[in-house]
Amino acid sequence: MITIYGMQDSGNCYKPRLLCALAGIAFRHVEVSMLDGGTKRPDFLAMNPVGQVPLLELEDGRRLAESDAILWHLGETTPFVPADPFEKSQMLQWMFFEQNGHEMHVAGRRSLLVYPERRASATPERLEVALQRGTSALAVMEAHLETRRFFVGETPSLADIALFAYTHVADEGGFDLDALPAVTAWLTRIVELPGFRPMSWLPEG
Ligand SMILES: N[C@@H](CCC(=O)N[C@@H](CS)C(=O)NCC(=O)O)C(=O)O
């Protein structure tokens, strides 16, 4: 069975867990706690020198980091990757957007506000920049979803999973999701997918 090293409350770690739940992929979860320096401990750094989760470990021992690369690896043979080459590229476009234009602001602001150990870094300037840039990213999503059910094509793809992870908890970062009706309706569509599990969910055992 594959193993996903992750943190229960991390959206990046939720992405592969959610894909596994939706696609029926069995996995083992190993919690890596930031509080005890988990990702920076020598034994973890030996597995991922970048010192971050999520980290996927295959049955043969090979490992893969970066949440969206893990989504790609696990998702390739599932209905969450479009067959059409252009739609596949559009899916990647949204996944790069998630990493470069969304996560760092939407998730970043949430982490500054939610985790006590990050409070010292939560300067007013930093919070303001993250609010402005995160709001812009959410506005891009809102405009796109005004005329669509999912980010690419007619069915959910890895792009929806990647963007759902931190958007659904954006309110914890001080973002006003009530002002984004198309995004809110899309969030509901994801929650209603067969097999959906919330971020707090971990597999048994
Ligand atoms: N771009 C990476 C970001 C991963 C990331 O930021 N992981 C955080 C948890 S959400 C982490 O491991 N933080 C611990 C640390 O940096 O020491 C991805 O998408 O996987």
Side-chain angles (χ1 to χ4, degrees):
M1 192 186 297
I2 61 169
T3 301
I4 299 173
Y5 294 85
M7 295 174 184
Q8 188 174 20
D9 189 50
S10 148
N12 283 320
C13 300
Y14 177 39
K15 292 177 208 172
R17 286 204 303 274
L18 179 55
L19 172 63
C20 287
L22 294 170
I25 300 169
F27 71 101
R28 192 171 70 100
H29 169 84
V30 175
E31 183 72 16
V32 180
S33 170
M34 207 146 76
L35 294 178
D36 67 4
T39 54
K40 299 295 183 267
R41 281 187 355 215
D43 55 341
F44 187 84
L45 286 171
M47 296 195 292
N48 179 13
V50 177
Q52 287 186 330
V53 284
L55 180 68
L56 171 69
E57 188 174 79
L58 301 178
E59 282 180 19
D60 63 10
R62 285 179 297 168
R63 299 189 185 98
L64 187 65
E66 290 295 332
S67 58
D68 287 356
I70 296 171
L71 282 185
W72 177 257
H73 183 75
L74 295 178
E76 221 182 343
T77 54
T78 73
F80 294 94
V81 174
D84 176 75
F86 189 71
E87 287 192 350
K88 207 181 283 187
S89 303
Q90 287 179 312
M91 180 190 80
L92 288 174
Q93 174 195 310
W94 283 109
M95 291 166 78
F96 285 117
F97 162 79
E98 186 270 335
Q99 285 285 287
N100 297 317
H102 178 286
E103 190 254 17
M104 63 180 69
H105 312 304
V106 176
R109 198 169 198 276
R110 172 180 178 262
S111 82
L112 289 171
L113 293 176
V114 166
Y115 301 118
E117 65 272 20
R118 301 227 52 209
R119 218 162 271 158
S121 308
T123 60
E125 295 77 18
R126 214 165 156 185
L127 287 171
E128 183 55 30
V129 170
L131 183 64
Q132 283 180 19
R133 295 186 181 168
T135 300
S136 297
L138 292 168
V140 168
M141 292 173 65
E142 177 72 12
H144 187 72
L145 290 167
E146 269 166 8
T147 55
R148 293 172 182 84
R149 288 175 53 74
F150 298 104
F151 272 87
V152 180
E154 298 302 316
T155 57
S157 72
L158 300 182
D160 296 277
I161 294 173
L163 282 162
F164 179 85
Y166 281 113
T167 304
H168 87 293
V169 289
D171 57 331
E172 295 176 12
F175 296 96
D176 182 10
L177 287 173
D178 289 339
L180 304 169
V183 167
T184 304
W186 164 78
L187 291 174
T188 303
R189 280 195 284 282
I190 302 297
V191 170
E192 289 174 348
L193 292 175
F196 174 86
R197 294 285 184 278
M199 189 148 88
S200 56
W201 171 76
L202 298 175
E204 283 174 23

